[in-house]
């Protein structure tokens, strides 16, 4: 499909050194943070919107699949080129174009790292709220494609809530601008929100305008341990019902607590069924008052241990456990299958108990943690991809995680996207009519199905 | 059969491809290219180990771009030992590819610099004439004069120390080695040096040529066996090589490698006795380590601690900034263009701090950074 002539055309667009064809180099672009991988035929690294447009025109003319790629840190296979063709690596487009303090917004290219944006706007007293766990190494383009979330989602929302305008190259190479730099905008359809979370299947984002918030004056942090998962779940419900919105409300189950303790020796209570890590922020008086209310609720719901940070060092100590969760559980087994289910907040406890039952039923090792305040859990199966029999059991368990989430009125993914990994389960949640509507939109904009093909809709069922 | 890569397969599969190493890997930070990132190299090694495609010259080219600084290992949330995997890849390259072609690739990857010629001349001193490195590296250079050091006899020595002088300190910066001898002698320590100055062999080991590394290192074994209280090195890499490296090459070492420590750690342990109390170092200093291997970071910490004792203000940089990945300070074996990219990031960091000088315990790093930085680059011994 890709011959020397096409390679030469690509080289004319972006320069020879920005076109990769050796298999040894291509393999470095064949994966993301899932176990999925597939070799592209060529990697192209554009530096401008015009480059992207020309590449798309060429690809569309010759029906070549194009998979956009940011930093390859995704957790759903979104940037894996499952149909081969072109990987369009957007890491050269990594400039922060503008910071508008007065209007509290920033304009960035897709290759900008989330942390770099947050650090830069921090210098003028602002912050960019979406903070995925990979914020040190994930790109804004990838954040847009997957609608990344993070720890602050409960109070501050997700990527979609901050993107107000985009420049997008369509599959046919057309360059469109959506949204506006204003607080309000209802001129035409809201394509901005449509592109966010579209997993690079509808267009390639080349410029992003996000709104920002002023840095909060003060933070209060506490940790509470519970004997039963249901007590932790009740605590989450009661906090929300009391009208208190913490900036983070994280959940860790007994398996996660124990693996962290094995690895970090933080003195966590190994017998606790669940741990909540809670933070409030805002004006000092307000954050303290909210935290006092949360502590009162935790006591009421039977917390067996409550620890509040009295200074920055203690705050760091409390966070050390949560931050090392992924590290701790992945050190147990080499292959991590991490899911991203969301349930209504009131069902978090039921979902957590259900997930544990599922992995035990299949004789697997699992752990669960997540953003309890959002109802977003990351049940994880610890496995070894080289053990085929165990992987088959793991896949069955994962299917049951999804069935459980849907049964509880939830959804397949909160912040990782469908990609290839959840595509086989799409029909569990999405009606044939809605799927048809989505596919007809995709077909209208990308009739040759060249842009990130094989994602979202095309999962093989198992 | 890629036996070395096979032996680290359990380490390779620990990598969950999360990309956390993007934040610290100096070659990636300099280039922004996935092929120059620890994660990319691990995936590439795995693909070759699993016979997705054969071991090739191109594979070697990419694997030899790693600077072996090991910032990836402490950064990695799953503890994947990036450097260990790269070393296994390089060892397989040396065992299975044409050695001469490989040495040519390593040597020719960079520009034609004076440092490179000097380095070639120094390392050729330590290896037999029929060795593959002799067949590739230029022979036309003049033989360097044997370094000579003046070692005072202590009248009532309170300790016997063997000062292990690495090849760069011996041939390029003999004044640093002599100063170290003088400082230790001034506090009644009897200094000894090896009869024959010979590199530790670290370079060859890191290059994956274990055969030559063993040849070179074996020359040091007997010399290290004496009844010394401590074996003190002038650089951090030698600490690693004389302990872990020699253990890997020879099994249980024939000398007590618990006795090995760097000169800065040794002076710190002495409680600053060797420091001139009247001399105050009123300088703003950035300490740079040549790598993040545990012992090298502790060497950098000891350097910072020593400089603070001397009254200097020392910049406490993060892992990603305090380490300059440089293949144990041997720029010549890496791609010159890429090193320039790496240096650009380092220069930005240093400019942001605006120090009076940069201090490193690595003589090789001093040699190279002196060429590219706008501030003086010193070995801590020079400041005593």
């Amino acid at each position: 499909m890709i011959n020397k002539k096409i390679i030469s055309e690509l080289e004319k667009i972006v320069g020879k050194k920005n076109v990769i064809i050796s298999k040894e180099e291509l393999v470095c672009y064949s994966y993301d943070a899932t176990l999925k991988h597939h070799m592209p035929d060529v990697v192209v690294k554009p530096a401008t919107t015009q480059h992207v447009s020309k590449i798309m025109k060429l690809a569309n003319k010759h029906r070549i699949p194009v998979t956009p790629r940011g930093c390859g840190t995704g957790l759903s296979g979104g940037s894996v080129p499952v149909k081969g063709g072109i990987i369009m690596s957007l890491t050269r487009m990594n400039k922060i174009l503008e910071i508008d303090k007065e209007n509290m917004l920033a304009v960035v290219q897709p290759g900008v790292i989330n942390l770099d944006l947050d650090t830069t706007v921090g210098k003028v007293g602002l912050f960019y709220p979406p903070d995925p766990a990979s914020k040190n190494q994930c790109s804004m383009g990838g954040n847009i494609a997957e609608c990344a979330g993070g720890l602050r989602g409960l109070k501050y929302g997700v990527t979609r809530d901050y993107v107000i305008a985009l420049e997008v190259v369509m599959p046919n190479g057309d360059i469109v601008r959506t949204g506006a730099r204003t607080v309000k905008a209802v001129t035409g359809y809201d394509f901005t929100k449509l592109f966010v979370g579209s997993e690079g299947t509808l267009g390639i984002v080349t410029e992003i305008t996000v709104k920002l918030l002023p840095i909060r004056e003060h933070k209060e942090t506490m940790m509470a341990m519970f004997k039963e998962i249901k007590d932790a779940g009740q605590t989450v419900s009661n906090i929300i019902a009391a009208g208190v919105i913490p900036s983070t409300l994280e959940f860790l189950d007994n398996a996660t607590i124990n693996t962290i303790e094995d690895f970090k020796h933080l003195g966590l209570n190994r017998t606790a069924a669940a741990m909540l890590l809670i933070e409030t922020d805002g004006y000092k008086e307000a954050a303290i008052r909210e935290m006092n209310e949360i502590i009162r609720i935790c006591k009421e719901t039977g917390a067996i241990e409550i620890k509040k940070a009295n200074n920055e060092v203690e705050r760091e100590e409390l966070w050390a456990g949560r931050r090392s969760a992924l590290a701790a559980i992945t050190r147990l087994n080499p292959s991590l299958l991490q899911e991203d289910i969301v349930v209504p907040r009131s069902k978090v406890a039921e979902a957590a108990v259900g997930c544990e039952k599922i992995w035990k039923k299949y004789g697997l090792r699992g752990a669960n943690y997540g953003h309890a305040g959002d109802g977003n859990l990351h049940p994880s199966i610890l496995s070894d991809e080289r053990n085929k029999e165990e992987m088959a059991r793991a896949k069955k368990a994962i299917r049951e995680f999804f069935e459980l989430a849907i049964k509880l009125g939830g959804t397949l993914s909160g912040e990782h996207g469908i990609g290839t990994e959840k595509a086989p389960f799409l029909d569990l949640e999405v009606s044939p009519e809605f799927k048809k509507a989505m596919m007809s939109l995709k077909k209208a904009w990308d009739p040759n199905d060249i842009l990130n093909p094989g994602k979202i809709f095309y999962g093989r069922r198992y | 059969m890629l036996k070395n890569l096979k032996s680290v397969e359990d380490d390779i599969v620990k990598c969950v491809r999360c990309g956390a190493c993007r934040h610290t890997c100096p070659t990636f930070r300099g280039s922004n290219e996935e092929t120059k990132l620890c994660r990319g190299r691990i995936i590439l090694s795995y693909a070759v180990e699993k016979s997705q495609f054969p071991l090739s010259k191109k594979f070697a080219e990419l694997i030899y771009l790693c600077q072996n600084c090991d910032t990836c290992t402490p950064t990695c949330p799953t503890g994947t030992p990036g450097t260990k995997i790269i070393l296994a890849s390089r060892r397989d390259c040396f065992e299975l590819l044409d050695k001469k072609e490989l040495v040519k690739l390593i040597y020719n990857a960079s520009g034609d610099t004076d440092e490179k010629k000097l380095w070639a001349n120094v390392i050729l001193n330590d290896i037999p004439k029929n060795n593959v490195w002799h067949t590739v590296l230029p022979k036309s250079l003049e033989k360097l004069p044997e370094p000579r050091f003046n070692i005072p006899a202590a009248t009532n020595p309170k300790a016997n120390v063997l000062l292990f002088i690495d090849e760069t300190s011996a041939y390029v910066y003999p004044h640093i080695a002599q100063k170290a001898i003088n400082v230790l002698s001034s506090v009644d320590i009897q200094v000894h040096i090896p009869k024959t100055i010979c590199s530790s062999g670290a370079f060859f080991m890191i290059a994956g040529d274990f055969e030559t590394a063993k040849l070179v290192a074996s020359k040091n074994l007997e010399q290290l066996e004496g009844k010394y209280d401590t074996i003190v090195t002038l650089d951090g890499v030698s600490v690693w090589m004389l302990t872990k490296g020699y253990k890997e090459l020879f099994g249980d070492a024939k000398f007590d490698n618990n006795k090995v420590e760097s000169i800065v750690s040794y002076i710190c342990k002495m409680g600053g006795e060797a420091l001139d109390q009247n001399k105050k170092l009123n300088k703003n200093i950035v300490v740079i380590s040549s790598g993040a291997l545990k012992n090298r970071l502790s060497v950098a910490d000891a350097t910072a601690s020593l400089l603070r004792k001397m009254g200097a203000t020392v910049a406490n940089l993060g892992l990603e900034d305090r380490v300059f990945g440089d293949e144990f300070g041997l720029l010549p074996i890496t791609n010159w263009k890429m090193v320039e990219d790496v240096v650009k990031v380092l220069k930005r960091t240093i400019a942001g701090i605006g120090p009076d000088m940069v201090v490193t315990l690595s003589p090789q790093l001093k040699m190279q950074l002196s060429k590219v930085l706008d501030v003086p680059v010193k070995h801590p011994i020079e400041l005593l």
Side-chain angles (χ1 to χ4, degrees):
Chain A
M1 186 169 30
I2 292 189
N3 52 32
K4 280 185 181 168
K5 197 165 166 257
I6 306 261
I7 298 293
S8 156
E9 291 285 319
L10 289 169
E11 287 174 351
K12 268 187 217 157
I13 298 169
V14 294
K16 199 167 181 171
K17 69 174 187 166
N18 294 308
V19 177
I20 292 173
I21 48 168
S22 81
K23 53 191 178 306
E24 287 86 351
E25 290 173 282
L26 292 178
V27 77
C28 299
Y29 292 84
S30 66
Y31 58 85
D32 66 359
T34 61
L35 297 174
K36 199 92 187 172
H37 53 90
H38 196 284
M39 286 286 270
D41 295 304
V42 58
V43 173
V44 187
K45 296 189 275 185
T48 65
T49 304
Q50 286 304 325
H51 285 169
V52 176
S53 171
K54 284 178 186 169
I55 294 164
M56 288 314 299
K57 279 180 182 157
L58 182 73
N60 200 31
K61 185 176 160 193
H62 297 281
R63 312 279 197 271
I64 302 165
V66 177
T67 305
R69 188 182 196 272
C71 296
T73 60
L75 286 161
S76 61
S79 62
V80 178
V82 289
K83 303 282 181 190
I86 297 171
I87 273 276
M88 192 181 304
S89 170
L90 293 148
T91 52
R92 286 177 72 207
M93 297 179 72
N94 61 350
K95 294 185 182 52
I96 296 174
L97 301 170
E98 185 189 345
I99 295 168
D100 181 347
K101 193 182 172 191
E102 214 175 5
N103 291 302
M104 290 205 292
L105 57 84
V107 184
V108 301
Q109 289 186 317
V112 166
I113 304 296
N114 180 308
L115 175 76
D116 292 343
L117 170 64
D118 201 28
T119 309
T120 309
V121 301
K123 288 175 189 161
V124 294
L126 300 171
F127 80 112
Y128 176 64
D131 60 339
S134 55
K135 81 178 280 177
N136 284 4
Q137 66 264 13
C138 62
S139 71
M140 289 297 291
N143 285 186
I144 304 285
E146 304 298 338
C147 189
L151 303 179
R152 301 190 281 224
L154 169 59
K155 183 168 181 177
Y156 294 108
V158 295
T159 302
R160 182 171 284 126
D161 302 310
Y162 292 88
V163 180
I164 56 171
L166 291 171
E167 178 188 75
V168 183
V169 176
M170 303 299 284
N172 65 3
D174 284 356
I175 300 166
V176 301
R177 295 193 76 95
T178 73
R181 292 167 61 107
T182 51
V183 175
K184 294 174 176 177
V186 290
T187 313
Y189 295 147
D190 190 354
F191 279 7
T192 308
K193 296 282 189 278
L194 175 63
F195 280 116
V196 180
S198 66
E199 307 193 17
T201 61
L202 296 178
I204 296 181
V205 170
T206 47
E207 190 188 291
I208 305 154
T209 306
V210 290
K211 58 182 182 182
L212 306 165
L213 293 179
I215 290 178
R216 301 312 190 214
E217 178 189 284
H218 185 75
K219 280 179 184 159
E220 288 280 308
T221 309
M222 67 89 81
M223 172 194 85
M225 293 289 193
F226 297 87
K227 209 172 169 184
E228 304 280 343
I229 289 182
K230 69 173 174 44
D231 296 341
Q234 193 58 50
T235 308
V236 174
S237 298
N238 290 5
I239 290 170
I240 309 291
V244 178
I245 309 286
S247 51
T248 51
L249 209 179
E250 294 292 295
F251 162 86
L252 293 86
D253 74 350
N254 176 270
T256 310
I257 294 168
N258 273 286
T259 45
I260 289 173
E261 198 46 34
D262 289 342
F263 169 48
K264 280 272 185 181
H265 313 295
L266 298 169
L268 301 177
N269 186 339
R270 284 178 180 273
T271 62
M275 168 177 153
L276 292 178
L277 182 66
I278 309 173
E279 201 160 88
T280 59
D281 69 356
Y283 288 115
K284 192 173 178 182
E285 298 76 10
I288 291 173
R289 197 170 146 192
E290 286 185 328
M291 183 51 79
N292 288 341
E293 179 66 3
I294 288 169
I295 290 173
R296 188 191 62 74
I297 292 168
C298 288
K299 284 178 181 165
E300 227 173 59
T301 45
I304 53 174
E305 187 187 333
I306 291 174
K307 201 171 167 186
K308 184 171 161 294
N310 292 313
N311 51 49
E312 195 52 33
V313 176
E314 289 183 12
R315 181 174 175 263
E316 275 307 303
E317 278 171 12
L318 292 183
W319 271 106
R322 170 62 181 89
R323 264 203 290 268
S324 64
L326 176 74
I329 61 177
T330 49
R331 279 173 197 235
L332 296 176
N333 284 71
S335 309
L336 175 73
L337 295 161
Q338 188 177 72
E339 288 315 330
D340 177 38
I341 58 168
V342 195
V343 294
R345 271 196 288 255
S346 57
K347 306 279 179 155
V348 165
E350 206 176 323
V353 171
C355 288
E356 192 178 337
K357 273 189 193 154
I358 292 167
W359 73 63
K360 282 187 175 160
K361 175 178 142 189
Y362 286 102
L364 297 161
R365 195 164 191 178
N368 204 346
Y369 64 93
H371 320 302
D374 312 358
N376 188 186
L377 293 174
H378 296 308
S380 306
I381 303 286
L382 309 166
S383 185
D384 186 335
E385 62 177 311
R386 295 169 295 181
N387 182 343
K388 303 285 176 235
E389 184 277 325
E390 191 180 68
M391 288 300 278
R393 274 185 284 137
K395 281 187 174 179
K396 285 181 184 163
I398 283 167
R399 181 176 186 90
E400 290 196 25
F401 287 161
F402 292 131
E403 285 170 348
L404 175 70
I406 302 298
K407 198 180 102 194
L408 295 174
T411 182
L412 300 180
S413 179
E415 53 189 12
H416 296 173
I418 299 298
T420 55
E421 298 307 276
K422 295 175 195 70
F425 311 104
L426 191 69
D427 294 346
L428 289 175
E429 182 178 345
V430 170
S431 70
E433 294 77 15
F434 181 34
K435 189 170 169 181
K436 195 174 146 198
M438 286 195 283
M439 289 175 83
S440 64
L441 175 73
K442 164 76 174 163
K443 196 160 187 191
W445 286 2
D446 184 14
N448 299 319
D449 194 23
I450 58 156
L451 195 52
N452 210 359
K455 306 292 161 66
I456 307 178
F457 310 112
Y458 304 101
R460 189 168 55 84
R461 290 180 202 184
Y462 53 78
Chain B
M1 173 70 175
L2 302 166
K3 68 175 167 40
N4 295 297
L5 271 175
K6 185 84 196 156
S7 74
V8 295
E9 191 185 288
D10 283 345
D11 293 311
I12 293 176
V13 296
K14 276 186 193 165
C15 172
V16 293
R17 300 163 290 277
C18 68
C21 45
R22 293 172 74 97
H23 193 54
T24 50
C25 175
T27 56
F28 177 78
R29 292 176 78 221
S31 65
N32 207 11
E33 288 175 25
E34 198 73 41
T35 50
K36 292 171 185 169
L37 173 65
C38 180
R39 173 176 70 166
R41 294 179 190 116
I42 290 173
I43 295 285
L44 173 61
S45 299
Y46 197 34
V48 170
E49 198 255 314
K50 287 287 175 202
S51 306
Q52 198 175 328
F53 40 78
L55 195 70
S56 62
K57 193 178 166 192
K58 185 75 191 175
F59 172 81
E61 270 174 36
L62 293 168
I63 290 300
Y64 277 93
L65 291 178
C66 167
Q67 306 287 290
N68 265 86
C69 71
D70 205 41
T71 47
C72 48
T73 306
T75 307
C76 178
T78 70
T80 307
T83 307
K84 187 179 167 191
I85 296 165
I86 299 299
L87 275 188
S89 296
R90 290 181 178 177
R91 204 172 169 185
D92 276 331
C93 285
F94 253 93
E95 288 175 10
L96 298 168
L97 295 176
D98 182 319
K99 285 189 183 59
K100 197 168 174 177
E101 284 300 309
L102 207 54
V103 173
K104 268 189 200 165
L105 182 152
I106 292 168
Y107 192 70
N108 296 336
S110 63
D112 193 19
T113 61
D114 292 344
E115 286 78 8
K116 176 169 154 175
K117 286 178 190 161
L118 186 59
W119 162 79
N121 214 0
V122 166
I123 66 154
L124 289 180
N125 273 340
D126 297 331
I127 46 179
K129 292 277 183 268
N130 61 353
N131 184 282
V132 62
W133 292 84
H134 262 292
T135 63
V136 176
L137 269 48
K139 294 170 188 159
S140 56
L141 296 164
E142 281 177 36
K143 191 166 165 46
L144 292 162
E146 187 75 20
R148 291 186 185 281
F149 299 102
N150 172 29
I151 303 170
T155 44
N156 189 18
K158 57 183 174 193
N160 275 293
V161 160
L162 177 80
L163 186 69
F164 182 82
I165 305 175
D166 60 279
E167 68 274 24
T168 316
S169 296
Y171 288 96
V172 186
Y173 299 121
H175 74 280
I176 294 176
Q178 185 62 57
K179 178 100 183 260
I181 293 167
N182 296 347
V183 167
L184 294 175
S185 301
S186 72
V187 285
D188 298 326
I189 286 168
Q190 181 59 58
V191 179
H192 307 262
I193 62 168
K195 283 192 183 72
T196 315
I197 298 288
C198 175
S199 70
S200 66
F203 162 72
F204 298 105
M205 196 164 169
I206 295 309
D209 183 359
F210 276 49
E211 205 179 306
T212 306
K214 215 165 173 176
L215 268 177
V216 173
S218 60
K219 285 191 186 176
N220 282 318
L221 278 185
E222 266 182 38
Q223 313 203 78
L224 295 164
E225 266 183 61
K227 288 183 180 165
Y228 308 115
D229 300 303
T230 312
I231 297 168
V232 171
T233 72
L234 282 168
D235 65 328
V237 174
S238 295
V239 179
W240 173 81
M241 187 60 183
L242 299 185
T243 52
K244 289 201 167 173
Y246 279 26
K247 226 172 212 173
E248 196 167 338
L249 288 179
F250 304 109
D252 279 333
K254 291 177 180 151
F255 61 96
D256 183 358
N257 53 26
N258 290 322
K259 286 182 182 173
V260 180
E261 63 182 304
S262 72
I263 186 135
V264 276
S265 312
Y266 189 68
I267 292 175
C268 280
K269 266 192 195 165
M270 288 162 62
E273 193 191 339
L275 304 179
D276 181 349
Q277 299 302 324
N278 299 320
K279 195 172 165 185
K280 282 279 167 239
L281 190 65
N282 294 318
K283 300 282 183 195
N284 181 11
I285 294 173
V286 168
V287 171
I288 293 178
S289 162
S290 65
L293 285 171
K294 205 174 168 194
N295 75 288
R296 282 198 267 171
L297 282 186
S298 63
V299 161
D301 287 340
T303 305
S305 161
L306 185 69
L307 296 172
R308 286 194 185 109
K309 269 185 193 156
M310 294 164 71
T313 307
V314 182
N316 192 12
L317 304 178
L319 181 66
E320 66 272 26
D321 292 321
R322 70 190 289 191
V323 171
F324 176 71
D326 77 326
E327 187 68 75
F328 286 174
L330 294 162
L331 287 196
I333 80 157
T334 63
N335 180 298
W336 184 252
K337 172 72 185 70
M338 189 193 63
V339 169
E340 281 179 346
D341 289 339
V342 174
V343 168
K344 253 186 247 162
V345 177
L346 182 73
K347 279 182 100 166
R348 268 205 304 272
T349 309
I350 289 177
I353 298 164
D356 303 311
M357 66 174 73
V358 164
V359 171
T360 178
L361 197 68
S362 162
Q364 293 94 336
L365 201 51
K366 172 179 159 73
M367 183 164 87
Q368 295 135 16
L369 292 185
S370 300
K371 194 178 158 78
V372 292
L373 296 182
D374 305 323
V375 288
V377 182
K378 300 275 187 190
H379 188 282
I381 290 298
E382 291 179 278
L383 302 172
L384 291 179

